Amino acid sequence: MDLRIQKTYRALNNAFTELLSQMPYEKISVAGLCDEAMIRRTTFYKHFRDKDDFFAFYIDSLRATILDLGPLPSSLSERNLAAERQEILHRLTSVLLSNVSLMDNIMQSSMFGTMSRVICDAVADALRERNGIDPSSDPESDTAAEFAAGGVVRLLLNWWKDGDPAGSEADFVEDAGNLLGQIMEA
């Protein structure tokens, strides 16, 4: 990808993160986003139809961050699936805790459902990748990954709404890791 496009996307993502940390999604305008990112609106519209289109791009970028777990060990004997599930959960909580006010604003906005779905998809994809699940040849394991991801998102929402997420991160990771172990190893 062209370096200028990368810089534009990075500036927009950083500006959007900053704006979402200050206000709900509904109050952010394309003009305000472009001002914060120091780009022209014509540049924005070269890449995105509207704010919702950009939000989908933003969420995909966030999803990629959650899924960036590094390479799988070359040998199955070197793999520790429980530790890999814990890493998925730590990555997820790290992304969320580094953006607390942003997450609070999203959870109170009309984009809450979209964000929940993206997190659920990211967890399910990470589980599929780490467990070597091919949905076309192993639909039962694929269903288990989807079910487990949904359970993690539900636990995540309860954990976040309980108050001090940073103070109880280890509890969430342990509870969610146990849930994943029970479902994925059943």
Side-chain angles (χ1 to χ4, degrees):
M1 179 183 313
D2 183 280
L3 184 58
R4 289 174 295 173
I5 294 172
Q6 289 178 17
K7 288 174 75 175
T8 297
Y9 288 170
R10 190 175 321 112
L12 284 168
N13 279 344
N14 291 340
F16 199 64
T17 298
E18 182 62 31
L19 291 172
L20 271 175
S21 296
Q22 300 168 14
M23 65 187 78
Y25 173 81
E26 293 78 10
K27 292 188 178 186
I28 297 172
S29 67
V30 170
L33 175 60
C34 290
D35 288 346
E36 183 74 23
M38 295 190 293
I39 66 164
R40 294 189 172 135
R41 279 191 278 173
T42 55
T43 301
F44 177 88
Y45 287 114
K46 279 183 188 178
H47 301 276
F48 306 101
R49 285 185 314 275
D50 54 24
K51 181 175 76 168
D52 292 339
D53 188 36
F54 172 73
F55 186 72
F57 171 80
Y58 179 82
I59 291 297
D60 279 344
S61 299
L62 185 60
R63 185 170 183 244
T65 301
I66 294 169
L67 289 173
D68 184 21
L69 298 169
L72 288 166
S74 57
S75 163
L76 285 177
S77 63
E78 296 174 22
R79 296 189 61 201
N80 179 339
L81 292 177
E84 290 182 23
R85 287 192 293 266
Q86 293 286 322
E87 180 57 30
I88 292 167
L89 296 167
H90 279 294
R91 171 62 76 154
L92 175 63
T93 57
S94 172
V95 168
L96 298 178
L97 289 172
S98 65
N99 298 289
V100 171
S101 55
L102 173 143
M103 292 306 302
D104 286 341
N105 279 332
I106 288 176
M107 288 186 178
Q108 296 171 16
S109 79
S110 63
M111 290 306 174
F112 173 69
T114 300
M115 183 60 134
S116 298
R117 190 173 65 247
V118 165
I119 292 171
C120 189
D121 289 347
V123 171
D125 287 347
L127 290 172
R128 281 186 200 99
E129 177 189 337
R130 292 310 207 196
N131 287 282
I133 297 170
D134 176 8
S136 61
S137 63
D138 191 358
E140 188 174 305
S141 293
D142 184 52
T143 300
E146 289 286 338
F147 183 74
V152 167
V153 168
R154 183 67 179 164
L155 281 173
L156 175 78
L157 297 176
N158 289 336
W159 165 66
W160 198 268
K161 289 178 181 178
D162 281 345
D164 176 28
S168 60
E169 177 184 9
D171 293 337
F172 166 74
V173 169
E174 181 180 346
D175 291 347
N178 290 338
L179 173 74
L180 291 177
Q182 290 172 358
I183 295 170
M184 297 305 295
E185 293 173 8

